[in-house]
Amino acid sequence: MDQRTAIVVGGGIAGLAAAAGLVRAGWRVTVLEQRQDHVEVGAGLAITRNGMAALEGICAGTTVHAAGYQAFVAGTRNYRGRWLLRIPDTRGDPDSMNWVCGVHRRRLHQALATAAGEAELLTGAQVRAVEAGDPAGAAARVTWRKDGSEHAAWADLVVAADGIGSTVRTQLFPDCRLAYSGKTSWRAVISATNDVDERFTITWGPGTEFGAVRISHREVYWYGYFHYPADTAIHDELAAARRHFARWPLDVQRVVGATEPEQLIRQDVYHLTVPLPTYTHGRVVVIGDAAHAMLPTMGQGANTALEDAVCVGRMIAAPVHVGADLSDAMARFDQARRPRTQAIAQRSRLTERVGADLRTRWSQALRDAAMRIMPPAATAKAGSQVLRWRPPPNPH
Ligand SMILES: Cc1cc2nc3c(=O)[nH]c(=O)nc-3n(C[C@H](O)[C@H](O)[C@H](O)COP(=O)(O)OP(=O)(O)OC[C@H]3O[C@@H](n4cnc5c(N)ncnc54)[C@H](O)[C@@H]3O)c2cc1C
């Protein structure tokens, strides 16, 4: 039988991980990435249990472990330093759901590129259009622009992993638009400071969420997600960040204070408010932010993108490689992935409502009082349902 072919649109986290899964299932893979340099910018990430399980499913778990820093989620406090939810310290428990691996995005990217080794990566290739084809008939066709000229190729499967502003999603699902979250986010990787140890603590203040996690022995990643109008320039970002957190706990002030101007980046945060009716269309499967761009309040965007990617390999590529029907395999993927990721996106919105959305003193006081009477074990259990995910078995 001829080797099956896949074109992956986008060489980000989802795209490279999907390429790794497809290659492992015996497919010939081309990744089209619009950026010339293909160096991941951005700061850090916290890989949770489910994301690590996905990485292990494409044989990248050990590398990411080694490249990152093991931390654990200590809980959530308010900006006056009072704990709202304190998660029991389960360090040393191999089954703990609180465990996270802080990692620099660039290192995660390198690990994924290595895992996708045999895939052909074309950089500077901007995809313009996709003809979705028919799983039982015509192949899919992808058109892209590279070095000033148009190119096109046919494939058995197209994986749309082109991120939040996805060209492919916009073409196939024009009604599913992005909306501004009402918030922007500072992010920075700074030299390690004693203010951040192996605990990953989230802090909620007026209209703001702050978090910091170690991503190596030498580095700490922090983010501050806060209300701000879209597309609004700030003259001196670092001075504004220092002012913003001036009355927050001392450790937060010191982390922001230790930041150099060139380490600080800021990005307005958008999300998909109208969920996609399906993650598959013809021979196209949509994954990662392209399918379910969610708010960052549960830290699940990249983790669910990794889940999607390993499922492309295990639920579509591997079964089809051993004779399964492509439309059946794509339907099973959609049934498995859409409810889960859309529920997590929904929970991210709910988390935001009790976190960074609250701007007034009374609304925060009300929230704090309600959270203090909630049993922490129940809250932690609800979160752990997301984290318990494991990749489907390989059909080989
Ligand atoms: C402030 C903030 C903090 C976050 N923190 C976390 C966290 O702690 N944990 C977590 O799990 N998630 C987090 N996320 C979410 C996470 O960053 C995203 O969910 C993740 O990067 C999505 O990966 P992706 O591969 O789908 O998209 P991307 O990483 O955006 O990759 C898409 C790729 O496609 C390429 N591309 C786009 N269009 C085209 C085209 N037409 N042709 C060719 N290539 C194209 C792009 O250049 C890019 O390389 C956070 C997000 C924000 C905003």
Side-chain angles (χ1 to χ4, degrees):
M1 197 173 50
D2 285 347
Q3 193 181 24
R4 299 280 186 158
T5 57
I7 295 178
V8 178
V9 184
I13 293 171
L16 289 176
L22 285 153
V23 162
R24 262 167 192 73
W27 287 48
R28 189 150 50 81
V29 183
T30 305
V31 180
L32 302 174
E33 167 55 48
Q34 67 182 2
R35 286 204 302 251
Q36 280 291 355
D37 51 12
H38 196 237
V39 173
E40 172 67 31
V41 287
L45 272 178
I47 302 291
T48 47
R49 278 269 173 199
N50 51 322
M52 190 52 82
L55 285 166
E56 282 158 5
I58 52 166
C59 303
T62 312
T63 323
V64 175
H65 257 295
Y69 191 94
Q70 283 205 38
F72 74 97
V73 181
T76 306
R77 61 185 179 168
N78 70 14
Y79 82 121
R80 308 243 182 245
R82 277 190 79 166
W83 286 100
L84 305 175
L85 170 69
R86 200 159 195 175
I87 298 177
D89 181 351
T90 49
R91 266 175 291 181
D93 171 3
D95 297 325
S96 166
M97 286 296 131
N98 298 343
W99 172 97
V100 293
C101 177
V103 66
H104 199 295
R105 290 178 82 106
R106 187 170 301 141
R107 278 175 226 130
L108 172 63
H109 219 247
Q110 279 160 357
L112 293 173
T114 306
E118 280 172 38
E120 179 190 21
L121 173 65
L122 295 183
T123 55
Q126 188 183 47
V127 169
R128 297 297 188 94
V130 170
E131 283 168 34
D134 176 350
R141 186 170 187 266
V142 178
T143 312
W144 70 93
R145 197 163 177 81
K146 180 170 164 61
D147 301 329
S149 41
E150 294 283 330
H151 305 259
W154 301 90
D156 294 309
L157 182 73
V158 173
V159 180
D162 48 345
I164 189 161
S166 173
T167 302
V168 181
R169 181 195 64 232
T170 309
Q171 189 197 320
L172 300 181
F173 304 98
D175 295 335
C176 297
R177 301 226 176 87
L178 292 173
Y180 184 50
S181 64
K183 298 175 193 69
T184 189
S185 186
W186 279 308
R187 289 191 277 180
V189 172
I190 63 169
S191 298
T193 140
N194 289 338
D195 294 298
V196 182
D197 53 19
E198 63 273 34
R199 282 170 293 191
F200 175 23
T201 302
I202 289 163
T203 312
W204 285 338
T208 305
E209 173 176 322
F210 176 92
V213 65
R214 275 204 186 221
I215 56 170
S216 72
H217 287 280
R218 305 178 315 277
E219 299 156 304
V220 161
Y221 157 60
W222 71 263
Y223 67 88
Y225 175 62
F226 63 104
H227 277 269
Y228 209 67
D231 301 322
T232 310
I234 295 180
H235 169 62
D236 183 340
E237 296 277 353
L238 190 51
R242 286 178 176 159
R243 271 196 309 276
H244 193 95
F245 293 106
R247 297 175 61 205
W248 285 52
L250 266 183
D251 57 285
V252 174
Q253 288 184 44
R254 283 199 293 251
V255 165
V256 177
T259 307
E260 303 288 343
E262 67 279 6
Q263 292 169 332
L264 192 63
I265 53 178
R266 190 167 63 82
Q267 189 187 355
D268 291 344
V269 178
Y270 288 79
H271 63 138
L272 264 178
T273 45
V274 178
L276 263 63
T278 168
Y279 287 175
T280 63
H281 184 95
R283 289 174 178 265
V284 180
V285 56
V286 190
I287 66 168
D289 273 8
H292 44 72
M294 55 184 77
L295 297 173
T297 47
M298 284 184 70
Q300 281 298 317
N303 285 296
T304 51
L306 291 167
E307 289 181 9
D308 290 344
V310 74
C311 286
V312 167
R314 299 227 176 155
M315 300 186 76
I316 302 177
V320 168
H321 183 70
V322 294
D325 179 70
L326 178 62
S327 13
D328 291 348
M330 290 177 78
R332 276 195 292 275
F333 174 93
D334 182 53
Q335 279 155 20
R337 296 307 301 156
R338 196 158 41 87
R340 174 173 165 82
T341 49
Q342 292 183 352
I344 296 174
Q346 168 79 0
R347 275 195 62 175
S348 303
R349 284 197 286 274
L350 292 175
T351 306
E352 170 152 291
R353 272 194 217 148
V354 293
D357 263 357
L358 303 186
R359 304 165 86 167
T360 61
R361 192 175 288 200
W362 69 264
S363 60
Q364 290 171 70
L366 208 63
R367 181 263 328 270
D368 292 2
M371 281 193 72
R372 275 198 295 269
I373 56 172
M374 273 186 337
T379 318
K381 191 173 163 215
S384 75
Q385 280 165 3
V386 170
L387 310 177
R388 275 185 205 287
W389 180 91
R390 292 290 173 272
N394 236 326
H396 292 303

